[in-house]
Amino acid sequence: MTDASAKPDKRKGLPLHWKMGIGFCAGLLLGLIVHTTSGADAQWVQWLTSYVTQPAGTLFLRLIFMLVIPLLFSALVVGVAEMGDIRSLGRIGWRTLGYTVVVSGIAVAIGLLLVNWLKPGAGVDPAAAQQMLDAGAERAQAIISSNASGGGQPSGINMLLSIVPDNVVGAAGNNEILGVMFFALMVGIGLVLTRSDNTGTFKRAVEGLFEISMTLIGLVIRLAPYAVFCFMFNLAALFGWDLLIKLGAYVGVVVLALALHMIVVYSAAVRFAGWSPLAWFKQIQEVMVMAFSTASSNATLPTSLRVAEQNLKLPNKVSRFVLTVGATANQNGTALFEGVTVLFLAQFFGVELDIGQQFMVMFVCILGGIGTAGVPAGSLPVVALICAMVGVPPEGIGIILGVDRFLDMCRTTLNVTGDLVLATMVSRGEEDEAEPAAGA
């Protein structure tokens, strides 16, 4: 029996994030070789990406998304129920909201300052831009028409109304995460306010659902290195580095802004929470690799929850609440990206935006970061919406569609890291009280 248990330990010698790193590098290298030697238009390359690597990566994401709704619901219900009283929930909730708005505001401000200073939109070659605009015209038009018909991101008062679902089952079926979160929040508050044997039984059932979801996702996560290989192979084989070079100034400004926010703002935030930034980032490196590879906050949520509990030792009542809410509502990288992209397109099309308009862009980007779906390319409808608001042609998003996958990976890494930063800050001075009693 001892030998049998020793063998799995040896197999687990290589941490998951290293395996994902190997998959990432192998997929990128092989994809670049294929792109250089055969080209993206080769028939066998099109067949391989369309029928093998793309479906394999999509299958992995679908398996994760299949389990995200039950995980998100159970984590948020249990997290709220473990608060113990409404005052604790209110304190943690308001602190979470306050930190989210402040840090997202800083992120957007960094992006807007860099765009105004470096002006990446002024350096794009018009011929290359027109070619990219034509290449992404069909997809861009689909995003714009989706917004126009009401099927995209809700705006204004509709955004607030959409938080409260009239049918929670329909909201879950349509992947309306905010609606599911609101329902879970209400159920959690109901558990806090209603103390009885029946509600205790219900809470234990929801805790069981959370544990089952985490176990199943743990099995799916083992496929992550292969999925990462497929994602990177597709990106490199179809686009190579050509597209990144053509839009180098724009990509450079986005990545620089994301890096500044990550290194400066997040380091200061975790220092404020009592952590050494180097030690803190070392503890969450698996989450960062997962976020970069999948380009999805929702797909990374299970890993974030586990790392917050096992590596950062954060109180469960805080981490489950903050990380679950943060997967949709605390997206600093998305808010930053949206601001940079809108101003980049404004510069490219020669649309002058005054200070008032830029502040409006900043405000809508903060709101957009709160309401954007935590899935790949979830921010593009918001970008099209903001462009239309300030007089920038929305079809301009066709220019950046080719590099969006890479930038999505970068901004998702910032988003997910920001969720853990937020949980670390909110956890300051908080302790789990329910867990010791349950263990006893």
Side-chain angles (χ1 to χ4, degrees):
M1 200 69 159
T2 314
D3 293 338
S5 63
K7 284 181 182 176
D9 287 337
K10 285 187 177 180
R11 287 185 182 181
K12 289 180 182 175
L14 196 62
L16 181 64
H17 61 273
W18 280 109
K19 293 178 182 177
M20 288 193 291
I22 292 170
F24 176 89
C25 294
L28 181 64
L29 182 62
L30 192 59
L32 287 174
I33 291 172
V34 168
H35 183 83
T36 305
T37 56
S38 301
D41 296 328
Q43 190 173 355
W44 74 271
V45 175
Q46 292 289 332
W47 182 89
L48 185 64
T49 54
S50 298
Y51 295 103
V52 180
T53 52
Q54 183 62 46
T58 303
L59 179 63
F60 171 77
L61 286 182
R62 279 177 174 263
L63 285 168
I64 293 286
F65 291 149
M66 176 183 71
L67 298 166
V68 158
I69 291 291
L71 172 70
L72 187 147
F73 173 80
S74 57
L76 191 50
V77 168
V78 173
V80 173
E82 285 177 345
M83 299 288 181
D85 59 75
I86 291 297
R87 282 180 299 174
S88 179
L89 172 62
R91 182 180 68 251
I92 291 174
W94 282 112
R95 204 184 297 174
T96 300
L97 179 62
Y99 287 151
T100 297
V101 172
V102 169
V103 178
S104 293
I106 293 171
V108 179
I110 290 172
L112 297 189
L113 285 172
L114 285 178
V115 174
N116 281 297
W117 176 38
L118 299 174
K119 299 188 182 302
V124 180
D125 176 35
Q130 187 59 48
Q131 184 182 356
M132 289 180 281
L133 197 61
D134 295 339
E138 186 177 339
R139 188 177 164 206
Q141 197 54 49
I143 293 170
I144 296 164
S145 59
S146 172
N147 274 330
S149 63
Q153 288 288 117
S155 59
I157 193 68
N158 290 329
M159 181 182 285
L160 294 175
L161 291 175
S162 68
I163 295 174
V164 183
D166 54 2
N167 180 349
V168 70
V169 177
N174 294 327
N175 207 28
E176 295 171 6
I177 301 294
L178 282 176
V180 176
M181 285 169 54
F182 182 84
F183 178 73
L185 183 63
M186 296 301 292
V187 172
I189 291 173
L191 281 175
V192 171
L193 295 175
T194 312
R195 303 282 184 175
S196 71
D197 292 339
N198 291 334
T199 56
T201 303
F202 176 75
K203 182 187 172 188
R204 287 192 294 275
V206 176
E207 287 174 342
L209 176 62
F210 174 77
E211 292 172 7
I212 290 169
S213 301
M214 287 295 285
T215 300
L216 291 177
I217 286 175
L219 296 176
V220 175
I221 291 296
R222 294 182 184 180
L223 301 174
Y226 308 103
V228 170
F229 172 86
C230 294
F231 289 140
M232 294 314 302
F233 178 83
N234 274 17
L235 184 70
L238 295 178
F239 299 113
W241 293 115
D242 300 344
L243 211 58
L244 288 175
I245 293 169
K246 286 178 184 175
L247 287 173
Y250 164 67
V251 172
V253 168
V254 174
V255 172
L256 176 61
L258 294 172
L260 281 174
H261 193 70
M262 175 84 77
I263 295 168
V264 178
V265 179
Y266 285 175
S267 294
V270 296
R271 174 75 71 183
F272 168 76
W275 275 83
S276 158
L278 282 177
W280 188 88
F281 278 107
K282 185 177 180 181
Q283 294 297 328
I284 68 150
Q285 56 188 343
E286 180 183 341
V287 176
M288 295 175 72
V289 172
M290 185 72 177
F292 186 77
S293 305
T294 62
S296 170
S297 301
N298 290 342
T300 314
L301 177 59
T303 308
S304 299
L305 287 166
R306 179 170 51 77
V307 166
E309 181 179 349
Q310 296 178 2
N311 296 11
L312 298 179
K313 311 293 183 188
L314 302 181
N316 282 335
K317 68 176 185 180
V318 176
S319 62
R320 289 174 184 174
F321 175 80
V322 174
L323 292 176
T324 306
V325 171
T328 296
N330 179 48
Q331 303 201 33
N332 307 156
T334 296
L336 186 156
F337 163 79
E338 289 167 358
V340 171
T341 302
V342 170
L343 261 66
F344 163 76
L345 293 175
Q347 290 173 358
F348 175 76
F349 286 109
V351 178
E352 290 289 335
L353 300 181
D354 58 31
I355 295 295
Q357 288 174 308
Q358 292 196 28
F359 269 112
M360 184 176 72
V361 168
M362 180 175 175
F363 177 71
V364 177
C365 285
I366 294 172
L367 291 180
I370 293 173
T372 301
V375 298
S379 59
L380 291 179
V382 182
V383 173
L385 186 71
I386 301 172
C387 284
M389 286 173 57
V390 295
V392 176
E395 60 270 15
I397 61 172
I399 294 173
I400 56 101
L401 287 179
V403 294
D404 182 64
R405 176 71 194 188
F406 172 74
L407 294 179
D408 203 354
M409 296 160 74
C410 296
R411 64 182 180 263
T412 301
T413 306
L414 192 75
N415 288 340
V416 172
T417 305
D419 294 342
L420 285 165
V421 169
L422 183 62
T424 304
M425 293 174 71
V426 174
S427 293
R428 192 181 181 195
E430 299 287 344
E431 291 180 4
D432 271 327
E433 295 174 1
E435 243 187 353

